[in-house]
Amino acid sequence: MGRRARAGYFERVRGGGAAIELDTVEISILRSLTAQLLELVGPGNQPAEADDDPLAALFADGPTKPPEDPALARLFPSAYEETADAAEFRRFTENDLRARKREDALAVLRALDAGGPLIRLTADEARQWLGTLNDLRLSIGARLEVSEDERSELYHLPDEDPRKPLMLAFQWFGLLQETLLEALT
């Protein structure tokens, strides 16, 4: 990429990565909502001994029931109908999924904290951003109860509606996700 990235849109860079130029307000919004996502995902249910023993981490039991919080339920959906198989699957996969979501969100925060309006990502970092942007959209969408129907009132909120800033963020993250995918393909 010999020129600067268009402000607000991801563009391809040599080596398979992507770059975007964000202003300070955009960086602040993305940083704040990513930090909130990190808090929402939480530390998981890893037992203390799992930190010291890789085998204990591999066999650590996770939760067996879906989260009650609608945003978490959207981030950690059931793989099967609620059966013993679903509980068993969740028990062995959710902690790893939480860890990956945390690592992806931390990668976004590290890139945002690196400074400058121009953010350059390697291909691996770009994939982590895709994961976090998707998680942000899913969690915001669950909180707002967004449907795919663009005629929904949520897509046409008046400025004074308190849901409007989150809906705008939801739509912006979709644009970021789309331009990042285009830059990577």
Side-chain angles (χ1 to χ4, degrees), residues 81-99:
E81 289 183 37
E82 290 309 312
T83 64
D85 288 340
E88 197 69 4
F89 184 81
R90 181 177 295 280
R91 183 168 73 106
F92 289 112
T93 60
E94 188 171 311
N95 284 340
D96 288 342
L97 186 55
R98 280 181 187 271

Side-chain angles (χ1 to χ4, degrees), residues 4-54:
R4 290 183 68 82
R6 280 185 303 159
Y9 295 89
F10 279 100
E11 293 190 6
R12 178 189 323 255
V13 296
R14 284 194 196 121
I20 189 169
E21 188 173 331
L22 298 172
D23 65 33
T24 55
V25 172
E26 291 168 329
I27 289 170
S28 177
I29 291 167
L30 190 51
R31 179 183 287 120
S32 174
L33 291 175
T34 301
Q36 289 178 44
L37 175 68
L38 204 50
E39 287 180 35
L40 178 66
V41 169
N45 295 328
Q46 294 278 14
E49 66 270 10
D51 292 334
D52 302 327
D53 181 1

